[in-house]
Amino acid sequence: MSTLHERFAAALLDPARAAPPEIGRAGRRFAVYRNNLRVSLSDGLVARFPLCHALVGDAFFRAMADRFIEACPPRSPVLATWGDALPAFIEVFPPLSALPYLADCARLEVLRTEAYHAADAIPLDAADLAAIPAGTWDAVRLSLHPSVRLLASPHPVASLWQMHAGSGGSGIAWDPEEVLVARAGDAVEVTRLPKGGVAFLTALRDLSVGAATHRIGLAEADFDLTACLTAAIHQRILVGRLPTQRPPDITWATGSFSGSRRFAHPASAPH
């Protein structure tokens, strides 16, 4: 038999359930408390997923939030990460089948929360990067800021976010986008990366610049290393140098590998 605590909690999250009879005359106050709890949880999702809320409207979002609360109730008193399951919920929520981009919009917003709560680190400055000899960049290993989160989406989720935040243009090209999410100071920023950027920064966690470039270049013949490193420097996500790693003995020229890899010194790129 379930305990009073379990039945009380179940009734709080299911408006179809009656209040546990053990609470007696407090049943009316229980109904008020249950309503306030659901409103508070719904408000929490609105605050955490403002883009999704704006895209579908308040009435629809709160109706969806009610279903999500019933399917995925909070399991912890710490609500900062509650809602992590919303993207997966959206993917299988039948009324949203006509909005295939919304799940990735929710994923982007989950990553923004993760980036906000990540550990801090001091980024390398221009002098640190300029001190790396241009001829040694292939072997350099760089560590990324703990807040770095990456998303490759078939939808223009970064453009949608930037338009919602007032930092984008009025039109959106409905193309796939690769996205960097990272915290700069107290602000979480969303940045579009060049094609191959997500794979490159992911590889950079384990490989040297040269080895990561080689890996991505095999799949993306038009990968622009200088543009990707420039974005990383501009967003201040490079926070340290690791022991050097000998890169593959290959070169890259017009989509094929021959000779030695050459690229502009990223420390000289415009900030």
Side-chain angles (χ1 to χ4, degrees):
M1 174 178 278
S2 62
T3 66
L4 171 60
H5 179 271
E6 291 169 340
R7 285 182 282 116
F8 187 92
L12 273 179
L13 295 169
D14 184 354
R17 287 178 180 253
E22 291 90 337
I23 67 174
R25 297 173 62 183
R28 181 171 296 183
R29 293 197 298 273
F30 176 87
V32 173
Y33 177 63
R34 173 165 57 191
N35 182 68
N36 289 343
L37 173 64
R38 292 180 73 88
V39 170
S40 295
L41 292 176
S42 181
D43 286 347
L45 291 175
V46 169
R48 192 176 180 199
F49 297 92
L51 173 58
C52 292
H53 175 257
L55 288 171
V56 301
D58 185 70
F60 186 96
F61 188 90
R62 290 185 183 277
M64 177 186 69
D66 281 344
R67 302 295 178 269
F68 179 72
I69 291 167
E70 295 167 8
C72 305
R75 301 298 183 187
S76 166
V78 180
L79 296 181
T81 60
W82 182 62
D84 285 357
L86 187 62
F89 178 86
I90 288 174
E91 282 189 323
V92 298
F93 189 53
L96 287 173
S97 60
L99 302 179
Y101 54 86
L102 198 69
D104 273 358
C105 289
R107 288 189 177 91
L108 176 63
E109 297 189 287
V110 167
L111 296 183
R112 293 188 74 256
T113 301
E114 292 180 1
Y116 182 80
H117 291 287
D120 206 356
I122 299 175
L124 298 175
D125 60 21
D128 296 322
L129 295 167
I132 302 174
T136 67
W137 266 86
D138 272 2
V140 165
R141 293 188 63 202
L142 299 168
S143 56
L144 304 181
H145 195 283
S147 70
V148 167
R149 300 293 187 272
L150 301 165
L151 176 64
S153 173
H155 312 291
V157 292
S159 295
L160 286 168
W161 171 262
Q162 290 165 350
M163 181 175 290
H164 167 74
S167 58
S170 58
I172 293 179
W174 212 262
D175 298 321
E177 289 185 346
E178 302 191 26
V179 188
L180 164 67
V181 180
R183 191 181 70 248
D186 294 330
V188 175
E189 298 184 358
V190 174
T191 304
R192 281 174 287 176
L193 291 172
K195 185 178 181 180
V198 165
F200 173 73
L201 291 177
T202 299
L204 205 60
R205 298 182 188 276
D206 301 311
L207 302 174
S208 69
V209 171
T213 302
H214 173 52
R215 174 180 291 182
I216 308 312
L218 292 175
E220 301 285 353
D222 57 349
F223 173 64
D224 189 336
L225 173 62
T226 300
C228 193
L229 282 176
T230 298
I233 293 168
H234 181 73
Q235 296 306 123
R236 297 174 64 79
I237 65 168
L238 305 176
V239 298
R241 290 182 61 184
L242 301 171
T244 59
Q245 179 185 76
R246 178 178 173 81
D249 189 17
I250 48 84
T251 56
W252 190 356
T254 62
S256 62
F257 292 91
S258 63
S260 63
R261 175 70 173 127
R262 294 289 180 265
F263 53 89
H265 194 301
S268 65
H271 291 206

